[in-house]
């Protein structure tokens, strides 16, 4: 999928919502636990109930790996279901991978070819040759961690590297990499005032923004400082939407939460 | 496994060799491709042929994920085989994971509980709360990237953070985290002269050292600058050992390569 197609979808649906499919068997409705694949059944119900209100789904791979082979099967069924049923959706494998070149190539193949995700999140610590194998895939997107929404973001990302914060060095350096046009960035919502500075470095890129909702970030603030003329934002909500209820009506309640966010977004898009 | 048990194994086997099980179906002997699980059959033969010459095996998860569910099954069979047949071996899931706290907990569960690896590699970029969930597991080890062996290591890891390189800040900061005694570090072999400085910061920690062999690092140099009184080194070789031959005698040839490394190590251990 191209970024132009993503922007078109955002304009059509009046939404730049991404729903995080972080499925924990301890948190989903009990009646699903009797089914053969509770994780997939949960995802399918959430997806069917919300696909017109969001533009993206983001399964976090940790929540699938934690269930071993069964979890990996649920992930595969989930991505296949989205790709077949709702091909307009922008899919994100939230995997935060990154390794030496030949190894990153294997990860890229796993997520872009075998599973056919539109994008994957990666970590920058190992530098250029750990990210470029992902960027080599045309019409796929590599979403690199820049400034994250967690407390530990302040351990290294905001450290002063010769006069500027590390995350700014990461952003600037990454622009020089081969096929950098396939880059997007993770920018945490809990620090909205940082967006102004970040937009100076990467005015045209899409940002995946976690931290709205459960982690305390404000949607209005993020949009004020982070939006560009192509919108350029995917706002993620995971727990706030998918665990709105753990009753039999969980999908309906998830839709209600997604609708609230979509309506806020529609107002902002004007 | 405790680090004391690991050191005892090193003294007994006169080896601190770790063999990387990075299995690429394009590189393994053709006759194995007819078997039901070529990756596992390859690993099993390599392990049976080398277990007395090394102290650790390190499957890189990328090479298994690239084959989807079948790959994940091969990984599970491999770790189960090692744990059952050679329980003295120190196992490393080379996964380079790291995410916000509740997500890192899921990764820790996947590798430490479900798969029962002794250790897992993690990336530091997201800081303290992305690593501490791994450290919470007693008698398990979290091997954090400090200074890697690839070209991209110089993009960020050696950047000057207020007078010292980022990887030193990473090392120093991590010592303050809860259960820091469960930390080990990835330190690349291609820059042996860095070991002196690194040992000043973390004199007692174990280092996982990639980059000897295919990537050009020297074993003697690494040991000269990096060894401590408990040895404190696990030297990894992947391609140099496992792809010594792609004929029917591949396991025998892998043993020959492992033996060369073990004998060098025996000489160094004196």
């Amino acid at each position: 999928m191209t970024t132009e197609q993503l922007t078109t979808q955002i304009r059509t649906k009046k939404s730049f919502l991404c729903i995080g499919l972080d499925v924990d068997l301890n948190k989903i409705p009990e009646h699903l636990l009797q089914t053969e694949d509770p994780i997939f059944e949960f995802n399918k119900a959430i997806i069917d109930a919300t696909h017109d209100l969001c533009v993206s789904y983001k399964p976090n791979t940790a929540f699938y790996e934690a269930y071993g082979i069964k979890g990996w099967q649920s992930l595969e069924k989930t991505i296949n279901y989205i790709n077949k049923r709702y091909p307009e959706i922008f899919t994100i494998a939230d995997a935060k991978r990154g390794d030496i070149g030949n190894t990153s190539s294997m990860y890229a193949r796993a997520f872009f070819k075998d599973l056919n995700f539109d994008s994957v999140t990666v970590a920058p610590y190992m530098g250029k040759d750990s990210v470029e194998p992902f960027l080599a895939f045309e019409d796929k997107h590599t979403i690199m961690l820049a400034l994250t929404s967690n407390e530990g973001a302040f351990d290294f990302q905001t450290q002063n590297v010769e006069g500027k914060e590390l995350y700014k060095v990461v952003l600037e350096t990454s622009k020089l990499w081969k096929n950098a046009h396939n880059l997007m960035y993770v920018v945490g919502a809990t620090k909205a005032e940082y967006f102004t500075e970040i937009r100076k470095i990467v005015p045209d890129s899409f940002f995946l923004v976690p931290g709205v909702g459960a982690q305390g970030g404000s949607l209005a603030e993020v949009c004020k400082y982070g939006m560009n003329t192509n919108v350029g934002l995917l706002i993620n909500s995971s727990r706030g939407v998918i665990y709105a209820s753990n009753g039999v009506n969980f999908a309906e309640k998830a839709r209600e939460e997604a609708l609230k966010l979509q309506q806020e977004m529609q107002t902002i898009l004007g």
Side-chain angles (χ1 to χ4, degrees), chain A residues 2 15 37 50 68 75 84 126 153 184 213 220 232 235 243 249 251 267:
Chain A
T2 64
S15 170
D37 188 340
T50 59
L75 178 64
K84 193 173 170 189
M126 292 181 69
M184 298 181 173
I235 305 286
Y243 298 132
N249 64 345
T267 306

Side-chain angles (χ1 to χ4, degrees), chain A residues 22-42 63-64 66-67 70-71 74 243 246:
Chain A
D22 304 350
V23 187
D24 184 336
L25 288 181
N26 296 316
K27 290 185 182 167
I28 70 175
E30 259 190 62
H31 72 280
L32 291 178
L33 299 177
Q34 324 304 325
T35 63
E36 204 192 305
D37 188 340
I39 295 178
F40 174 68
E41 293 303 328
F42 179 80
F63 288 79
Y64 299 83
Y67 300 108
K70 267 191 83 68
S74 304
Y243 298 132
N246 68 352

Side-chain angles (χ1 to χ4, degrees), chain A residues 19-184:
Chain A
I19 296 178
L21 301 172
D22 304 350
V23 187
D24 184 336
L25 288 181
N26 296 316
K27 290 185 182 167
I28 70 175
E30 259 190 62
H31 72 280
L32 291 178
L33 299 177
Q34 324 304 325
T35 63
E36 204 192 305
D37 188 340
I39 295 178
F40 174 68
E41 293 303 328
F42 179 80
N43 283 344
K44 184 171 171 295
I46 294 281
I47 292 163
D48 287 338
T50 59
H51 67 92
D52 58 321
L53 301 174
C54 68
V55 294
S56 179
Y57 290 108
K58 180 178 76 63
N60 188 306
T61 54
F63 288 79
Y64 299 83
E65 290 179 21
Y67 300 108
I69 291 162
K70 267 191 83 68
W72 201 263
Q73 283 170 330
S74 304
L75 178 64
E76 198 169 288
K77 281 163 77 177
T78 300
I79 180 66
N80 289 344
Y81 185 74
I82 300 170
N83 281 340
K84 193 173 170 189
R85 210 43 202 282
Y86 308 109
E88 77 283 5
I89 291 282
F90 182 76
T91 53
I92 303 169
D94 196 0
K96 300 188 175 71
R97 298 298 197 262
D99 208 312
I100 61 171
N102 74 320
T103 307
S104 276
S105 296
M106 296 301 265
Y107 280 129
R109 174 179 148 176
F111 293 108
F112 290 152
K113 287 184 74 173
D114 294 2
L115 292 171
N116 200 15
F117 276 93
D118 292 311
S119 66
V120 63
T121 58
V122 302
Y125 193 72
M126 292 181 69
K128 173 175 161 158
D129 53 309
S130 71
V131 178
E132 283 189 341
F134 293 96
L135 297 176
F137 285 74
E138 264 317 303
D139 288 342
K140 299 288 186 180
H141 303 272
T142 305
I143 311 179
M144 191 166 75
L145 299 180
L147 183 61
T148 58
S149 58
N150 64 321
E151 190 194 329
F154 298 101
D155 283 334
F156 309 121
Q157 297 166 28
T158 56
Q159 288 283 326
N160 188 331
V161 178
E162 294 181 1
K164 73 180 74 146
E165 292 96 329
L166 176 62
Y167 74 87
K168 290 185 184 169
V169 176
V170 166
L171 287 164
E172 285 171 0
T173 305
S174 70
K175 289 172 71 176
L176 307 172
W177 296 344
K178 194 171 178 189
N179 297 311
H181 60 279
N182 291 329
L183 275 170
M184 298 181 173

Side-chain angles (χ1 to χ4, degrees), chain A residues 6 11 16 33 133 169 202 209 223 230 244:
Chain A
L6 175 57
R11 301 277 186 213
F16 41 100
L33 299 177
V169 176
V202 281
V209 184
C223 294
N230 295 314

